[in-house]
Amino acid sequence: MHNENWDDLRYVLAVVETGSVLQAAKRLGVNHATVLRHLAAFEDRHGLPIFERTPNGYRVLADREHIIRAAQAAASAIHEVARLAGGGERGAMKGTVRITSTDTLCVLVLPRITRAIKADSQDLEMTLLSSNTHLDLIREQAHIIVRPSLKLADDLVGIAACEIGFAAYATDTFQDQWLGLSGPLTRSVAGTWMAENISPDQMTTASDSFLTLAALAAQGAGAALLPCFVGDLHRDLVRLKTKAPHLRSPLWVARHVDTIQTTPMREVEGQLRERLAGQRDSLLG
């Protein structure tokens, strides 16, 4: 690839990964005008726009995603050549890896894991995207998904690192009222059990966040079906072993089927699986 073309492509990929011209400029150590110039040169050379400019930043146009995947593959190949030429040391990762997961995992589990991974590779940049919804991994620029589910969606590929346990929790004053699950949580193993076993007249306040449900349960608002690593750590909650079974769901480390894996992505994915498996007992509860 011609150097001039690669320079432009490097700037394009920086904007793809950060979603912002200013953030791309900061990462590359240039001013935003330089980034804009390279973006314009790339688009002019190929005669088509790559990005949609939105109030929230730069978003890859849907019919241009195949170009970005090819660009990521080219970048990955170039970085792999450099890594192999330099001896291929493990831990010498450089690049950006974005991980999306649920709010509970992003708050209580993944920060310690990502910090440990980062400690081994100072040049690696990681972003945690907290969402209980199924993100479009290409459009939102998330490379890896960590999520509990009975099975993976058709557009994902991955491996179950371990299992997450779910159980009922409340304060000592539980009076047969349950907190409801809403939004994406209704499709979880907990949501399925509640729909089949708890009548609507037993339901009180609902939420689409297990963290919020735990806070409501701690205030005596009702019993909540929670991930065990949430309920077991809450000092104001006790497990109600007779009110609900101990449910379990695989915890997947996955990626979109069309994602071109870079060396850092492969390494981070492997470390996530390994470190989550190391916490299997506390996660299962």
Side-chain angles (χ1 to χ4, degrees):
M1 183 178 293
H2 191 280
N3 285 339
E4 183 182 54
N5 289 357
W6 170 243
D7 280 346
D8 292 340
L9 193 56
R10 189 163 59 93
Y11 285 86
V12 169
L13 290 179
V15 174
V16 169
E17 291 179 350
T18 63
S20 162
V21 167
L22 289 177
Q23 291 302 316
K26 187 179 297 185
R27 174 186 295 183
L28 296 170
V30 299
N31 60 49
H32 77 282
T34 300
V35 177
L36 288 172
R37 186 171 66 252
H38 282 279
L39 293 189
F42 184 87
E43 292 181 334
D44 289 346
R45 180 180 298 110
H46 297 285
L48 47 80
I50 297 295
F51 296 101
E52 173 188 8
R53 280 72 168 176
T54 75
N56 296 321
Y58 279 56
R59 198 181 279 266
V60 178
L61 291 166
D63 59 352
R64 304 290 188 258
E65 288 169 355
H66 66 289
I67 296 174
I68 296 305
R69 288 196 294 270
Q72 289 170 334
S76 178
I78 289 171
H79 293 151
E80 184 71 0
V81 168
R83 186 185 72 85
L84 293 173
E89 306 94 338
R90 189 179 190 273
M93 291 185 288
K94 185 175 183 179
T96 299
V97 176
R98 297 194 175 205
I99 303 164
T100 177
S101 190
T102 64
D103 58 348
T104 51
L105 289 165
C106 281
V107 170
L108 299 176
V109 177
L110 291 176
R112 184 164 59 251
I113 290 177
T114 53
R115 183 184 178 190
I117 296 173
K118 172 71 175 173
D120 291 337
S121 302
Q122 293 300 319
D123 290 332
L124 178 68
E125 295 182 23
M126 284 190 290
T127 300
L128 278 180
L129 301 172
S130 175
S131 173
N132 290 329
T133 62
H134 175 74
L135 290 178
D136 182 326
L137 297 187
I138 293 177
R139 282 188 166 274
E140 297 294 337
Q141 307 311 319
H143 301 129
I144 300 171
I145 183 170
V146 179
R147 194 170 298 275
S149 178
L150 291 178
K151 65 177 184 176
L152 281 179
D154 292 340
D155 59 347
L156 300 178
V157 291
I159 296 173
C162 58
E163 290 183 305
I164 283 185
F166 294 81
Y169 294 85
T171 62
D172 291 329
T173 58
F174 172 62
Q175 296 179 347
D176 239 22
Q177 279 202 314
W178 288 80
L179 295 166
L181 307 183
S182 66
L185 298 192
T186 60
R187 298 190 294 273
S188 68
V189 65
T192 299
W193 184 87
M194 290 196 69
E196 295 174 349
N197 294 276
I198 306 298
S199 63
D201 59 1
Q202 289 179 276
M203 302 266 194
T204 175
T205 310
S207 176
D208 65 350
S209 165
F210 284 123
L211 294 176
T212 301
L213 290 168
L216 288 167
Q219 293 297 316
L225 204 55
L226 302 172
C228 294
F229 69 88
V230 176
D232 288 346
L233 294 177
H234 206 297
R235 64 183 183 182
D236 297 320
L237 297 176
V238 295
R239 190 183 296 198
L240 307 175
K241 295 182 179 179
T242 63
K243 297 297 182 180
H246 182 215
L247 306 172
R248 54 177 65 196
S249 174
L251 178 59
W252 300 90
V253 178
R255 65 184 184 279
H256 193 276
V257 292
D258 291 331
T259 297
I260 302 296
Q261 280 191 301
T262 63
T263 299
M265 285 168 57
R266 284 193 294 271
E267 179 69 19
V268 170
E269 199 172 290
Q271 288 205 40
L272 282 169
R273 289 196 298 266
E274 180 181 330
R275 293 175 187 275
L276 286 169
Q279 297 184 39
R280 60 169 55 89
D281 291 341
S282 61
L283 290 172
L284 184 58

